[in-house]
Amino acid sequence: GISGEWVPMKQFSLAVERAGWTSAGPGEGAFGAGGRGSVFFLQGNRVRPSFFVATGLRYRYTPTEPGFLVPTIGTGLAMRWYVTPRYFVEHEMRLESEGGDPRFLVGGGLGVHFGGDHPYDGT
């Protein structure tokens, strides 16, 4: 999947996140997309810890049942580490409910920073 983030203020962002497809086995999986609001705290030169809330929809399908939409809502913590001023690694822990089914998720990814302001000043 992919995500895109907009930072309208120094310690706050809005994002489209987890947009994409997941396979759960032969002939089954999910398409999904969501939104996230994040607040950054204790921001350093190379790190950006944050707290977030998220919501979204997933279209789940299986070989034996018709597809169906499932709402999701979640909250969690994320840590972004800027390897260079442009590239970063991000890790998150999330408590999520998908259609009333609660679960704890751990994830991460690689990213590219576009734009001017970022916490890493190159030192």
Side-chain angles (χ1 to χ4, degrees):
I2 62 169
S3 298
E5 180 181 58
W6 174 53
V7 183
M9 297 184 314
K10 185 171 176 96
Q11 293 186 306
F12 176 75
S13 75
L14 297 172
V16 172
E17 66 156 10
R18 299 173 72 186
W21 172 74
T22 303
S23 174
E28 64 182 273
F31 291 96
R36 178 180 72 202
S38 298
V39 176
F40 319 135
F41 54 93
L42 303 173
Q43 188 167 317
N45 283 345
R46 295 184 86 146
V47 296
R48 192 185 83 182
S50 63
F51 166 78
F52 65 87
V53 293
T55 186
L57 281 174
R58 291 201 183 97
Y59 176 77
R60 293 218 169 263
Y61 61 92
T62 67
T64 58
E65 298 176 11
F68 55 95
L69 280 175
V70 183
T72 63
I73 188 164
T75 186
L77 299 170
M79 174 65 81
R80 181 177 289 184
W81 176 57
Y82 282 87
V83 180
T84 71
R86 181 162 308 276
Y87 301 102
F88 61 87
V89 176
E90 190 164 69
H91 177 75
E92 75 172 36
M93 295 180 295
R94 174 187 300 236
L95 182 59
E96 180 179 87
S97 174
E98 180 181 298
D101 179 25
R103 62 181 142 205
F104 180 73
L105 303 169
V106 177
L110 305 172
V112 178
H113 180 95
F114 297 100
D117 295 334
H118 50 77
Y120 178 45
D121 66 4
T123 59

